[in-house]
Amino acid sequence: DAGVIQSPRHEVTEMGQEVTLRCKPISGHDYLFWYRQTMMRGLELLIYFNNNVPIDDSGMPEDRFSAKMPNASFSTLKIQPSEPRDSAVYFCASSLNQAYSNQPQHFGDGTRLSIL
Amino acid sequence: AQKITQTQPGMFVQEKEAVTLDCTYDTSDQSYGLFWYKQPSSGEMIFLIYQGSYDEQNATEGRYSLNFQKARKSANLVISASQLGDSAMYFCAMREGWEDSSYKLIFGSGTRLLVRP
Protein backbone atom coordinates (compact mmCIF):
# COMPACT_ATOMS: atom_id res chain seq x y z
CA ASP A 1 0.00 0.00 0.00
CA ALA A 2 1.22 3.49 -0.80
CA GLY A 3 2.16 5.61 2.18
CA VAL A 4 1.92 9.36 2.51
CA ILE A 5 3.46 10.94 -0.56
CA GLN A 6 5.10 14.35 -0.40
CA SER A 7 6.57 16.43 -3.17
CA PRO A 8 9.05 17.79 -3.83
CA ARG A 9 11.61 15.93 -1.69
CA HIS A 10 13.96 18.89 -1.84
CA GLU A 11 13.33 22.53 -2.66
CA VAL A 12 15.89 25.30 -2.87
CA THR A 13 14.65 28.76 -3.65
CA GLU A 14 15.49 32.38 -3.08
CA MET A 15 14.05 34.57 -0.39
CA GLY A 16 10.81 36.21 -1.41
CA GLN A 17 9.69 33.44 -3.73
CA GLU A 18 6.49 31.50 -3.27
CA VAL A 19 6.92 27.90 -2.16
CA THR A 20 4.26 25.21 -2.46
CA LEU A 21 4.60 21.86 -0.74
CA ARG A 22 2.29 19.01 -1.69
CA CYS A 23 0.93 16.00 0.12
CA LYS A 24 -1.16 12.98 -0.80
CA PRO A 25 -2.41 11.18 2.33
CA ILE A 26 -3.00 7.47 2.65
CA SER A 27 -6.27 6.55 0.99
CA GLY A 28 -9.09 6.32 3.53
CA HIS A 29 -7.39 8.42 6.15
CA ASP A 30 -9.55 11.30 7.30
CA TYR A 31 -6.97 13.28 9.27
CA LEU A 32 -4.07 15.17 7.74
CA PHE A 33 -1.32 16.97 9.62
CA TRP A 34 1.48 19.33 8.58
CA TYR A 35 4.62 19.46 10.75
CA ARG A 36 7.86 21.40 10.59
CA GLN A 37 11.16 20.05 11.92
CA THR A 38 14.14 22.26 12.77
CA MET A 39 17.20 21.76 14.91
CA MET A 40 16.21 24.60 17.21
CA ARG A 41 12.52 23.83 17.71
CA GLY A 42 12.25 20.14 16.93
CA LEU A 43 8.98 18.82 15.48
CA GLU A 44 6.11 21.28 15.58
CA LEU A 45 2.54 20.80 14.43
CA LEU A 46 1.53 23.58 12.06
CA ILE A 47 -2.05 22.68 11.15
CA TYR A 48 -4.32 19.70 10.87
CA PHE A 49 -7.45 18.83 8.87
CA ASN A 50 -10.34 16.48 9.49
CA ASN A 51 -12.37 15.48 6.45
CA ASN A 52 -10.69 18.27 4.47
CA VAL A 53 -11.67 20.95 7.01
CA PRO A 54 -8.94 22.81 8.93
CA ILE A 55 -9.43 22.13 12.62
CA ASP A 56 -6.48 23.74 14.34
CA ASP A 57 -4.05 26.15 12.70
CA SER A 58 -2.64 27.61 15.89
CA GLY A 59 0.82 26.33 15.00
CA MET A 60 1.03 28.23 11.72
CA PRO A 61 3.82 30.71 12.37
CA GLU A 62 2.41 33.73 10.54
CA ASP A 63 0.23 34.91 7.70
CA ARG A 64 2.87 34.02 5.16
CA PHE A 65 1.90 30.40 5.70
CA SER A 66 -1.32 28.93 4.37
CA ALA A 67 -2.62 25.40 3.93
CA LYS A 68 -5.47 23.96 1.93
CA MET A 69 -7.07 20.60 1.44
CA PRO A 70 -9.36 20.81 -1.61
CA ASN A 71 -10.18 17.10 -1.51
CA ALA A 72 -9.50 13.95 0.49
CA SER A 73 -6.43 13.03 -1.51
CA PHE A 74 -4.50 16.26 -1.73
CA SER A 75 -3.20 19.05 0.48
CA THR A 76 -0.83 21.96 -0.01
CA LEU A 77 1.24 24.09 2.32
CA LYS A 78 2.19 27.42 0.82
CA ILE A 79 4.72 30.00 2.01
CA GLN A 80 4.53 33.42 0.40
CA PRO A 81 6.87 35.23 0.58
CA SER A 82 9.49 32.79 1.81
CA GLU A 83 12.26 33.79 4.21
CA PRO A 84 15.55 32.08 5.17
CA ARG A 85 14.15 31.24 8.63
CA ASP A 86 11.53 29.06 6.93
CA SER A 87 14.28 26.59 6.02
CA ALA A 88 13.33 23.28 7.60
CA VAL A 89 12.02 19.82 6.86
CA TYR A 90 8.26 19.85 6.39
CA PHE A 91 6.36 16.64 7.05
CA CYS A 92 2.86 15.67 6.13
CA ALA A 93 1.16 12.90 8.10
CA SER A 94 -2.21 11.21 7.93
CA SER A 95 -4.24 8.95 10.16
CA LEU A 96 -7.53 7.19 10.54
CA ASN A 97 -10.24 8.47 12.86
CA GLN A 98 -8.38 9.89 15.82
CA ALA A 99 -11.26 9.11 18.16
CA TYR A 100 -9.64 5.70 18.42
CA SER A 101 -6.67 6.72 20.46
CA ASN A 102 -4.23 4.11 19.26
CA GLN A 103 -4.31 5.29 15.68
CA PRO A 104 -0.80 6.43 14.83
CA GLN A 105 -0.01 9.23 12.46
CA HIS A 106 1.79 7.94 9.36
CA PHE A 107 4.40 10.34 8.05
CA GLY A 108 5.60 11.08 4.56
CA ASP A 109 9.30 11.29 3.75
CA GLY A 110 9.29 15.05 4.19
CA THR A 111 10.29 18.02 2.05
CA ARG A 112 13.66 19.54 2.82
CA LEU A 113 13.24 23.26 2.16
CA SER A 114 16.16 25.67 1.87
CA ILE A 115 15.53 29.39 1.44
CA LEU A 116 18.61 31.29 0.32
CA ALA B 1 7.16 23.15 31.45
CA GLN B 2 8.19 20.60 28.87
CA LYS B 3 5.40 18.24 28.02
CA ILE B 4 7.73 15.50 26.79
CA THR B 5 11.27 15.17 28.11
CA GLN B 6 13.92 12.96 26.60
CA THR B 7 17.02 13.47 28.72
CA GLN B 8 19.45 11.44 26.62
CA PRO B 9 20.60 13.41 23.57
CA GLY B 10 22.74 10.49 22.45
CA MET B 11 23.40 6.88 23.39
CA PHE B 12 25.59 4.00 22.34
CA VAL B 13 24.73 0.32 22.53
CA GLN B 14 26.62 -2.77 21.49
CA GLU B 15 25.03 -4.85 18.76
CA LYS B 16 22.79 -7.64 20.14
CA GLU B 17 22.42 -5.94 23.52
CA ALA B 18 19.26 -4.32 24.87
CA VAL B 19 18.91 -0.57 25.31
CA THR B 20 16.41 1.67 27.11
CA LEU B 21 15.53 5.13 25.84
CA ASP B 22 13.99 7.37 28.47
CA CYS B 23 10.85 9.46 28.12
CA THR B 24 8.96 11.36 30.79
CA TYR B 25 5.81 13.33 30.22
CA ASP B 26 3.70 15.94 31.89
CA THR B 27 -0.06 16.03 31.65
CA SER B 28 -3.07 16.58 33.88
CA ASP B 29 -5.36 14.60 31.58
CA GLN B 30 -6.55 11.16 32.63
CA SER B 31 -6.76 9.94 29.05
CA TYR B 32 -3.73 10.24 26.84
CA GLY B 33 -1.60 8.22 24.48
CA LEU B 34 2.13 7.82 24.11
CA PHE B 35 3.89 7.02 20.86
CA TRP B 36 7.44 6.27 19.81
CA TYR B 37 8.78 7.09 16.37
CA LYS B 38 12.10 6.26 14.71
CA GLN B 39 13.82 8.65 12.31
CA PRO B 40 16.74 7.08 10.40
CA SER B 41 19.35 9.24 8.75
CA SER B 42 17.28 9.12 5.55
CA GLY B 43 14.78 11.35 7.34
CA GLU B 44 11.46 9.55 7.34
CA MET B 45 9.43 9.13 10.54
CA ILE B 46 8.46 5.54 11.32
CA PHE B 47 5.84 4.64 13.93
CA LEU B 48 7.09 2.01 16.35
CA ILE B 49 4.75 1.49 19.30
CA TYR B 50 1.80 2.93 21.21
CA GLN B 51 0.74 2.92 24.88
CA GLY B 52 -2.61 4.18 26.10
CA SER B 53 -2.97 5.65 29.56
CA TYR B 54 -5.56 3.07 30.51
CA ASP B 55 -3.69 0.10 29.10
CA GLU B 56 -2.93 -2.25 31.96
CA GLN B 57 -0.16 -4.09 30.18
CA ASN B 58 3.01 -2.68 28.72
CA ALA B 59 2.89 -2.49 24.94
CA THR B 60 5.12 -4.76 22.90
CA GLU B 61 5.83 -4.86 19.18
CA GLY B 62 8.48 -7.31 18.08
CA ARG B 63 11.81 -6.21 19.54
CA TYR B 64 10.24 -3.02 20.90
CA SER B 65 8.55 -2.80 24.26
CA LEU B 66 7.38 0.09 26.34
CA ASN B 67 8.13 0.28 30.05
CA PHE B 68 5.13 2.30 31.16
CA GLN B 69 5.16 3.62 34.73
CA LYS B 70 2.09 5.78 35.04
CA ALA B 71 2.71 7.04 38.56
CA ARG B 72 6.17 8.22 37.56
CA LYS B 73 4.87 9.54 34.23
CA SER B 74 7.47 7.68 32.27
CA ALA B 75 7.21 5.68 29.05
CA ASN B 76 10.62 4.29 28.26
CA LEU B 77 11.29 2.43 25.02
CA VAL B 78 13.20 -0.81 25.30
CA ILE B 79 14.86 -2.25 22.21
CA SER B 80 16.02 -5.83 22.64
CA ALA B 81 18.80 -7.48 20.63
CA SER B 82 19.97 -4.25 19.00
CA GLN B 83 20.81 -4.33 15.31
CA LEU B 84 22.94 -1.98 13.25
CA GLY B 85 19.78 -0.79 11.51
CA ASP B 86 18.46 0.49 14.82
CA SER B 87 20.89 3.41 14.64
CA ALA B 88 18.59 6.42 14.33
CA MET B 89 16.88 9.25 16.18
CA TYR B 90 14.04 8.13 18.41
CA PHE B 91 11.19 10.44 19.36
CA CYS B 92 8.69 10.06 22.15
CA ALA B 93 5.35 11.79 21.56
CA MET B 94 2.15 12.32 23.51
CA ARG B 95 -1.40 12.90 22.47
CA GLU B 96 -3.58 14.41 25.17
CA GLY B 97 -6.93 16.01 25.35
CA TRP B 98 -9.31 13.31 24.27
CA GLU B 99 -12.07 15.21 26.00
CA ASP B 100 -11.85 18.25 23.78
CA SER B 101 -10.97 16.17 20.75
CA SER B 102 -7.56 17.68 20.35
CA TYR B 103 -5.49 15.44 18.17
CA LYS B 104 -2.14 17.13 18.44
CA LEU B 105 1.00 15.07 18.91
CA ILE B 106 3.61 16.74 21.08
CA PHE B 107 7.12 15.47 20.44
CA GLY B 108 10.19 15.28 22.64
CA SER B 109 13.58 16.48 21.48
CA GLY B 110 14.71 12.98 20.57
CA THR B 111 17.53 10.57 21.43
CA ARG B 112 20.15 9.62 18.88
CA LEU B 113 21.03 5.95 19.19
CA LEU B 114 24.18 4.51 17.68
CA VAL B 115 24.59 0.73 17.58
CA ARG B 116 28.21 -0.42 17.61
CA PRO B 117 29.21 -3.59 15.74
Side-chain angles (χ1 to χ4, degrees), chain A residues 37-44:
Chain A
Q37 186 179 32
T38 61
M39 288 294 293
M40 291 297 294
R41 300 175 66 89
L43 267 159
E44 303 173 282

Side-chain angles (χ1 to χ4, degrees), chain B residues 32-96:
Chain B
Y32 52 89
L34 297 155
F35 301 78
W36 277 90
Y37 283 83
K38 172 184 178 181
Q39 186 175 38
S41 57
S42 49
E44 68 270 31
M45 294 284 288
I46 303 167
F47 166 70
L48 295 178
I49 195 168
Y50 165 83
Q51 180 83 44
S53 58
Y54 289 117
D55 293 342
E56 294 186 352
Q57 291 191 325
N58 286 341
T60 61
E61 194 69 51
R63 294 187 298 110
Y64 304 109
S65 61
L66 214 152
N67 183 0
F68 181 48
Q69 298 186 45
K70 192 170 181 178
R72 298 180 63 181
K73 294 188 175 179
S74 73
N76 299 337
L77 177 70
V78 180
I79 305 174
S80 63
S82 297
Q83 301 172 358
L84 296 179
D86 294 334
S87 295
M89 280 288 284
Y90 289 82
F91 292 95
C92 179
M94 177 174 65
R95 180 190 158 186
E96 59 180 357

